[in-house]
Amino acid sequence: MMDDQRRSPCPVSCTLDVIGDKWTLLIIRDLLLGKSHFSEFQKSPEGIATNILSNRLARLVDHGIVEKYPSTSNPGRDAYRLTAKGKALRPVLRAIVKWGLEHIEGTSRELDQPES
Amino acid sequence: MMDDQRRSPCPVSCTLDVIGDKWTLLIIRDLLLGKSHFSEFQKSPEGIATNILSNRLARLVDHGIVEKYPSTSNPGRDAYRLTAKGKALRPVLRAIVKWGLEHIEGTSRELDQPES
DNA sequence: GGAACAACTTGCATAATGCAAGCATTCAAG
DNA sequence: CTTGAATGCTTGCATTATGCAAGTTGTTCC
């Protein structure tokens, strides 16, 4: 559950050890948008492979960013949601969305704040 | 110089296609801290391999985030600096630093704003 | 000219990613 | 029941990226 061996005590480096890849923040984006099921993440337009999705969800749970719970709306199924620690990543996502919209042409917004 | 093929038009996805790895944002951190030479990036505590550093610098130049210029202070040597597009990533770094400091124990600050 | 340094490049082993397929539950219909 | 479809994964394997060490090129500096 803790860090195995960090590259340095720098907060940037340590944060990137957790979210520094092409997929993790996309899953967090989806969670912030209200998605909660494995298949919902899978259906996102980027097309994440199921083994990577599975791996990232497990990593996020390990790091206390996401928690797994039994879905009430869809009984018997698993679901995922952000913890407080995970929700605290919203400003990071917001900054990334802003930069993308302003500096990469052809991007269009889709992240708002659906709920806390 | 442009995007080859993006995964989706989402600004998060497109931004991660550029900076979504464990090393790129560390280089940008160093640039924001005023570092400009290849060997300075190499000396950062995380210990980036030279081939990856070389690859990432080239990618960043391709994406218009960093520009190469002949060093005046150290004549005959190459140097790198952020473009306006690159400097615009500062809020992303700031959000990451903040999250790291608040949610990962044992991290200590080192990013301030040395200059614009 | 030759040592020292900076900035890379190359080669190769290991790890991560991408893709397709397979497996175990659950649930609803027949 | 028992099939059949859907969900939530896991496994196998090819491809790509990363990590490490070593080698190469181009300057300065004496």
Side-chain angles (χ1 to χ4, degrees), chain B residues 7 14 19 28 84 96 110 114:
Chain B
R7 293 178 290 172
C14 290
I19 60 164
I28 292 168
I96 287 174
E110 66 186 89

Side-chain angles (χ1 to χ4, degrees), chain A residues 72-93:
Chain A
T72 49
S73 65
N74 210 342
R77 299 285 158 70
D78 292 329
Y80 298 89
R81 66 183 159 210
L82 292 168
T83 62
K85 185 174 176 181
K87 288 176 186 169
L89 283 167
R90 187 188 290 278
V92 175
L93 261 294

Side-chain angles (χ1 to χ4, degrees), chain B residues 4-49:
Chain B
D4 2 63
Q5 71 278 357
R6 50 183 51 162
R7 293 178 290 172
S8 86
C10 169
V12 179
S13 163
C14 290
T15 301
L16 291 176
D17 286 340
V18 180
I19 60 164
D21 73 288
K22 284 194 304 175
W23 294 111
T24 301
L25 281 175
L26 291 180
I27 296 169
I28 292 168
R29 172 202 63 183
D30 286 350
L31 284 161
L32 285 169
L33 288 168
K35 296 183 185 175
S36 60
H37 294 286
F38 192 94
S39 58
E40 289 180 296
F41 305 130
Q42 209 183 146
K43 280 170 198 148
S44 283
E46 293 82 14
I48 187 170

Side-chain angles (χ1 to χ4, degrees), chain B residues 57-88:
Chain B
L57 285 170
R59 270 176 57 89
L60 287 169
V61 169
D62 276 353
H63 284 288
I65 290 168
V66 165
E67 59 188 356
K68 200 172 183 172
Y69 66 101
S71 173
T72 49
S73 65
N74 209 342
R77 300 285 157 70
D78 293 328
Y80 298 89
R81 66 184 160 209
L82 292 168
T83 62
K85 185 176 176 181
K87 287 176 187 170

